[in-house]
Amino acid sequence: MPDDLVASRSDAPRPERDDPALPSLGAIGLLRWAWRQLTSMRTALFLLMLLAIGALPGSVFPQRGVDATQVTRYRAEHPELSPWLDRLGMFDVYSSVWFSAVYLLLFVSLVGCVVPRTRVHLAAMRARPPRPPSRMQRMPAHASFEVEASESEVAEAARELLRGKRYRVDVRGGAVSAERGYLRETGNLLFHVALLGLLVAVALGSLTGYRGQFLLTTGTGFANSLVAYDTFDPGTWVDEGDLPPFQLTLDDLTVAFETDAAGNQFAAPRDFEAAVTVVDEPGADPVERTIRVNQPLPVQGTNVYLQGNGYAPVVTVRDTQGRVVKSGPVVFVPQGRFYESPGVVKVLETEPQVGLQGIFLPTWEMDAERGPVSVFPDALDPRWFFTAWTGDLGLDGGEAQSVYELDTTSMTQLTDDDRTPFAVGLSPGESIDLPDGAGSVTLERIDRFAAFGVRHDPAKGWALGFSVLAIVGLVASLFVPRRRVWVKVSGRGPEAPADGPGAGVIVVEVAALARSEDPRLEAEVAQLTTRLRERLDGTATEPNQEPGE
Amino acid sequence: MSVDTTLAQVSNVLVYSSMAAYSGALLGYATDLSSRGGRSARAVAAQEKVLVGSGAPVDDAAERPPMAGARSSRAAGIATSLTWLATGLHLAAVLTRGLSASRVPWGNMYEFAVTGSFVVSAVFLGLVVWRRDLRWLGVFSVGPVLLTLGLAVTVLYTESAQLVPALQSPFLVVHVSIAFISSALFTLGFSVHVLQLVQDRRQQARAAGTPPTRGAFMDRLPRAADLEALGYRLVAVSFPLWTFTLVAGAIWAEKAWGRYWGWDPKEVWTFVIWVVYAAYLHARATRGWDGRRATYLAIAGFVCVLLNFGVVNIFFSGEHSYAGIG
Ligand code: HEM
């Protein structure tokens, strides 16, 4: 039975006629053979499985495209293994040659499969339903009954009935052939074509779209252009000089954290909201807007997202003479749920240069073992702890350096009189003199910063559209039953008298064939039989059979 | 921002009460399976007597009705009543949990487990209302539900609280509720598919002249081919729902993180699950792959569902890291 089902599922040219032996047909023949293999159901299945397996490593190993810093950390932790993993593309799984090969082959196979199937399907929709089989009782569902009627009456009644049930009906030589459920194959083709469309939309989106990130401390602004981004990731077809010239100022950032619940929910973030002022293009009126998580701000065809936040202590550094050599907010990147934020202040103006390395704790407490720690992410009792270095910051060589790290190779750490490293904690408003007359440091106040992401993807609407089409097609493909039904008169009733009343009794046969998964096939035949009989023989001579439903 | 802790307590008590009722139900269903007597051949013959004939080949177990269990059993009746009771308590637990924080009750893994297992139970009851003769599925539905609840209260428990900002979205309702229903159907499908493989082996053994000596209760379940068909239907209903989950998740990700697809571990696994079940549907239509081999793929798909919930949430960091496990 399952074999039958499978064999009759579709008339698509699915070349699973197994001919593993190579036909000796020369180059063209070989190509044709290869193409047929590639577009076979079995290959598609194999490629699907490969796709699933191939996608997995990307969830195990950190991915450059997702979080490059994690990859750097992983590589540092696994120096032996990493070069090998890298060679295999394990840090770039989704852009690796082998992963791309799998999905491209799959989609080539898909095209090679969908095109001929579409052709066959179009022809099938125009063709007449096939003639009844000679032996109706061999069909998966079959019923027969006797009735006093003529062949043409049977055909007419069956035709009306089947038409009413949205079958395509054809009457030939007194026998009725009917077929329904073409929508199933249509849906299946739609589904597969929509997947292709989706792939194209995703590809277009990454070619013509861009994404970028920037940080703003409260009160500062951003003008959309390449130089203003901290990171910028354009598609190949993006003209980087031609970004929409909007401006955005961070007016305020409000945050809320869990204070009530205990356990692991304590201190969990509850709300972040950035109040911004936007100028759509130079000269336009400024408008006030808010950006929240899950609530990006659409500006000029892009979306601006609130992606992170943290603290920017406002630090003033004076030199020995008391001149201000550095003043302003410095971004400290928070880590963990209590926003312990390491960060550095680099003073380039002095000779020697000064570097302050430390950690900002929004709500600090002294832990007996670990020293000062943060116990809550909001700035309830903030304190900044740091050590100080003098020497060469290493910024003159022109090499790129992280603003969040201090390169101490050419620097010496300042110490107290007793030769222990100088280390100090400051609360807002406090100042401290550095040892060795290296100047003084003041923590003026604590500002916040917000990390924004900008995303432009002109093809995302298409991606959504194709996804919806895929679902629609899928539902039709899975749930529309496709079946053929035949009704024919197989002869006179075996017990019909030669003449007189009852002489016109004939045997009517109804048979059906499922052309897809179809658990209701027998019920359909039972129902058709009952209805047909009612129509032909309003005054039922025998007790009516229970309909199958 | 406050949480009604009393209500949260009530929810916890309700979870335990429902577990007690589920245990009773499990016992009842198990008794039913192990004590059902031989089939009443007369009832079967009566069924076959309808005019509609079937061209299906007759196999060794054809004397069984297609969906066994038509014989009404007291144990099964009691078990089903208990399941209704348990599911009602379970629903109340889910609702009070949600009300305690004035939000949908699926914001961390404890809540996923509690609400998800409720959906499994509700879908099972739905199936029983649809086809009363599916009560044999009881052990294999209530069992996983009880197991999940046990895990939830012992390992996953998290205090009721508000949501992190990323979860504060209408998509939490749409995306996750459909994912629940889909996962519940996959769970039931998995149970049925495992039974199918066992049944298949038994039928093969019997055909080879070495009838199995243990697990006699399996003889009261449907034939392998019917189990296969039922498992397929469960997956077939679930697959479009999972597809929807995937798409809704992508729309949400676009709103929350600025990209609709970013290969975050959770996204990877949702995608892998989708591909594996797509492969299963394909396999069923591929000659040489229908039957047992395709079923292995469906089982692999469910293993991925379990890994996605159990492992990915906890061990793989990503933007979806809101498991809330301390
Ligand atoms: C992008 C990869 C593909 C995916 C995700 C996919 C997915 C699916 C799914 C979910 C179904 C089940 C729908 C149903 O049973 O009606 C299906 C059916 C089908 N697919 Fe694919 N497919 C892919 C590629 C292909 C390729 C390359 C071929 C051609 C060799 C193909 C041929 C078919 C056929 C013939 C059916 C109908 C099976 C039947 O008659 O039941 N598919 N596909």
Side-chain angles (χ1 to χ4, degrees), chain A residues 6 9 14 16 42 45 48 55 59 66 94 140 142 257 262 264 269-270 294 296 305 307 455 457 460 479 517 519, chain B residues 1 53 158 162-166 168 232 236 252 254 256-258 260 262-263 268-269 275 279 284-285 287 316 324 326:
Chain A
V6 171
R9 194 85 48 84
R14 278 186 255 139
E16 63 228 308
R42 198 168 299 167
L45 178 58
L48 273 173
S59 72
V66 178
Y94 307 106
H142 171 256
F257 298 94
N264 50 43
R270 291 300 173 233
N294 270 317
Y305 299 84
Q307 292 187 324
R455 176 87 175 120
D457 181 350
K460 71 182 177 195
F479 302 118
E517 205 61 45
Chain B
M1 258 233 290
T158 307
Q162 301 295 318
L163 295 173
V164 297
Q168 297 168 12
Y232 164 76
W252 186 7
E254 202 273 327
W257 300 318
Y260 55 80
W263 296 110
V268 171
W269 279 81
V275 174
R284 266 189 108 252
R287 197 168 300 163
F316 295 171

Side-chain angles (χ1 to χ4, degrees), chain A residues 84-158:
Chain A
W84 288 101
L85 291 175
D86 213 4
R87 230 161 280 163
L88 293 172
M90 287 300 165
F91 300 126
D92 300 282
V93 167
Y94 307 106
S95 51
S96 68
V97 177
W98 49 271
F99 190 77
S100 315
V102 171
Y103 75 76
L104 288 178
L105 273 178
L106 187 56
F107 278 94
V108 171
S109 166
L110 186 56
V111 173
C113 173
V114 161
V115 170
R117 277 176 64 200
T118 310
R119 216 181 296 133
V120 170
H121 184 50
L122 286 177
M125 287 205 292
R126 282 191 301 256
R128 305 160 82 180
R131 292 173 178 280
S134 48
R135 295 171 65 188
M136 299 271 279
Q137 64 275 20
R138 299 204 40 191
M139 289 294 108
H142 171 256
S144 63
F145 62 93
E146 293 177 17
V147 69
E148 185 155 16
S150 73
E151 198 174 33
S152 59
E153 281 169 352
V154 172
E156 191 44 42

Side-chain angles (χ1 to χ4, degrees), chain A residues 202-242:
Chain A
V202 171
L204 272 183
S206 75
L207 285 172
T208 59
Y210 58 83
R211 72 170 82 223
Q213 280 182 315
F214 61 90
L215 294 181
L216 288 182
T217 53
T218 41
T220 60
F222 162 88
N224 191 26
S225 66
L226 193 56
V227 291
Y229 284 101
D230 297 327
T231 64
F232 191 73
D233 186 7
T236 317
W237 295 349
V238 173
D239 177 359
E240 296 170 8
D242 193 25

Side-chain angles (χ1 to χ4, degrees), chain A residues 1-3 5-7 9 14 16 41-42 44-45 48-49 51-52 55-56 58-60 63 66 70 94 99 139-144 184 191-192 195 201-202 205 211 256-265 268-272 292-296 303 305-307 455 457 459-460 463-464 467-468 471 474-475 478-479 517 519-520 522 525-526 533 545, chain B residues 1-3 50-57 107-108 157-169 225 228-229 232-233 235-240 243-244 247 251-266 268-269 271-272 274-276 278-291 297 304 312 316-317 319 324-326:
Chain A
M1 170 96 154
D3 250 336
L5 261 180
V6 171
R9 194 85 48 84
R14 278 186 255 139
E16 63 228 308
M41 276 298 269
R42 198 168 299 167
L45 178 58
L48 273 173
M49 289 193 269
L51 185 70
L56 288 180
S59 72
V60 178
Q63 298 296 299
V66 178
Q70 289 244 25
Y94 307 106
F99 190 77
M139 289 294 108
H142 171 256
S144 63
R184 186 182 187 98
F191 168 72
H192 286 90
L195 290 186
V202 171
R211 72 170 82 223
F257 298 94
E258 177 70 49
T259 50
D260 290 344
N264 50 43
Q265 288 289 338
R270 291 300 173 233
D271 193 24
F272 300 132
R292 306 175 65 212
V293 182
N294 270 317
Q295 195 184 301
N303 272 331
Y305 299 84
L306 178 58
Q307 292 187 324
R455 176 87 175 120
D457 181 350
K460 71 182 177 195
L464 179 60
S467 307
V468 171
I471 295 179
L474 187 61
V475 169
L478 286 169
F479 302 118
E517 205 61 45
R520 305 204 53 77
E522 295 185 2
V525 167
R533 200 174 192 174
Q545 168 207 342
Chain B
M1 258 233 290
S2 73
V3 167
V50 292
L51 261 171
V52 179
S54 164
N108 52 51
Y157 186 74
T158 307
E159 257 195 49
S160 181
Q162 301 295 318
L163 295 173
V164 297
L167 290 183
Q168 297 168 12
S169 159
E228 201 279 339
Y232 164 76
R233 291 180 81 185
V235 172
V237 174
S238 188
F239 186 75
T243 313
F244 178 87
V247 174
I251 301 174
W252 186 7
E254 202 273 327
K255 281 260 173 293
W257 300 318
R259 82 291 184 293
Y260 55 80
W261 196 260
W263 296 110
D264 171 276
K266 197 82 193 179
V268 171
W269 279 81
F271 171 76
V272 167
W274 185 78
V275 174
V276 173
Y280 162 71
L281 293 178
H282 253 226
R284 266 189 108 252
T286 306
R287 197 168 300 163
W289 267 87
D290 43 310
L297 278 175
C304 292
V312 181
F316 295 171
S317 72
E319 288 175 294
I325 304 261

